[in-house]
Amino acid sequence: MNYLAHLFLARPTADSQFGNLLGDFRRGVDIKEFGQAVRLGLKNHYEVDRFTDSHTSVLAAKALFHKSRRRFAPVALDIYFDHLLIKHWASFTTQGFDEFREQSFALLEQRLPTMPRTMQHSVGHMITHDWFEDYAKEEGIAKAITVVAKRIRFPNTFHLAVDDINANRDEIEARFLTFFPELITHIKINGPENI
């Protein structure tokens, strides 16, 4: 899952929000320097990823991508699933999306000084440029995927994953709507922050 989903599945505390995003910035970081709440958030991140990567609906959605781009399908789906989470937000929570976004950004800003440098840069950029505003729109998804494609250090066709999404939009959405409620339930019962 991408940033929004990880934040959605975190607790509404600065340490949890930090820890639940830390999984994407873990390389070279000694997690022992962080407190227990942050480490539990990190474990929660890994549990979300483990459940997501093995779910039959997610595997079926990945198979919809052209075989030449299938290696990038998990990243493209992560981004598109954040879009679908925003689209169906009211189905999953009574908290308004704008309120959640403002709360989450404020909590993350509290921990910016203690984040690894690459995380500081990405999270600061996410807040300043309000990535979730982009994720709410279909054209924002194409923009996000194009940005990621430019960061890949070898020649690639990742930007064409947008075509795969457009060609299979209804099926991907149906797969998401099957998968995401099960992920929420799984984390409520088995999430390291909730045990």
Side-chain angles (χ1 to χ4, degrees), residues 85-155:
L85 174 54
I86 296 169
K87 180 177 179 180
H88 296 283
W89 189 264
S91 300
F92 303 120
T93 180
T94 57
Q95 183 180 27
F97 175 69
D98 290 338
E99 178 190 342
F100 173 87
R101 178 179 55 198
E102 289 170 20
Q103 172 187 294
S104 192
F105 284 176
L107 292 170
L108 288 168
E109 283 182 322
Q110 291 176 33
R111 292 295 177 267
L112 271 174
T114 58
M115 290 178 184
R117 185 161 301 197
T118 55
M119 186 175 183
Q120 281 179 349
H121 175 76
S122 290
V123 171
H125 201 268
M126 175 181 73
I127 293 168
T128 302
H129 297 282
D130 195 355
W131 291 358
F132 299 156
E133 183 68 26
D134 281 340
Y135 286 6
K137 300 173 284 210
E138 288 282 348
E139 61 271 21
I141 296 306
K143 176 181 167 185
I145 286 174
T146 300
V147 168
V148 172
K150 288 177 182 174
R151 287 192 198 136
I152 298 171
R153 294 182 180 143
F154 53 86

Side-chain angles (χ1 to χ4, degrees), residues 1-176:
M1 299 303 292
N2 209 39
Y3 296 159
L4 177 60
H6 279 295
L7 294 171
F8 180 82
L9 294 163
R11 292 182 172 217
T13 68
D15 282 344
S16 177
Q17 300 271 301
F18 172 20
N20 273 274
L21 287 192
L22 182 59
D24 289 333
F25 304 94
R26 171 79 200 286
R27 183 177 294 167
V29 175
D30 181 5
I31 63 163
K32 291 193 278 299
E33 67 184 67
F34 301 117
Q36 177 70 1
V38 173
R39 292 196 307 268
L40 282 173
L42 177 61
K43 287 182 179 179
N44 201 67
H45 175 110
Y46 291 145
E47 184 60 26
V48 168
D49 284 355
R50 187 198 63 74
F51 184 87
T52 300
D53 292 343
S54 63
H55 196 281
T56 54
S57 288
V58 176
L59 294 171
K62 289 176 186 175
L64 297 170
F65 286 73
H66 188 275
K67 64 182 179 181
S68 68
R69 293 183 288 278
R70 207 157 289 151
R71 68 185 291 192
F72 301 117
V75 178
L77 281 177
D78 282 352
I79 295 168
Y80 196 62
F81 280 178
D82 270 3
H83 166 74
L84 293 173
L85 174 54
I86 296 169
K87 180 177 179 180
H88 296 283
W89 189 264
S91 300
F92 303 120
T93 180
T94 57
Q95 183 180 27
F97 175 69
D98 290 338
E99 178 190 342
F100 173 87
R101 178 179 55 198
E102 289 170 20
Q103 172 187 294
S104 192
F105 284 176
L107 292 170
L108 288 168
E109 283 182 322
Q110 291 176 33
R111 292 295 177 267
L112 271 174
T114 58
M115 290 178 184
R117 185 161 301 197
T118 55
M119 186 175 183
Q120 281 179 349
H121 175 76
S122 290
V123 171
H125 201 268
M126 175 181 73
I127 293 168
T128 302
H129 297 282
D130 195 355
W131 291 358
F132 299 156
E133 183 68 26
D134 281 340
Y135 286 6
K137 300 173 284 210
E138 288 282 348
E139 61 271 21
I141 296 306
K143 176 181 167 185
I145 286 174
T146 300
V147 168
V148 172
K150 288 177 182 174
R151 287 192 198 136
I152 298 171
R153 294 182 180 143
F154 53 86
N156 67 85
T157 58
F158 180 54
H159 64 286
L160 296 177
V162 173
D163 296 338
D164 297 320
I165 290 170
N166 289 336
N168 299 285
R169 186 179 290 127
D170 291 343
E171 184 169 353
I172 292 172
E173 186 167 0
R175 298 286 183 182
F176 172 80

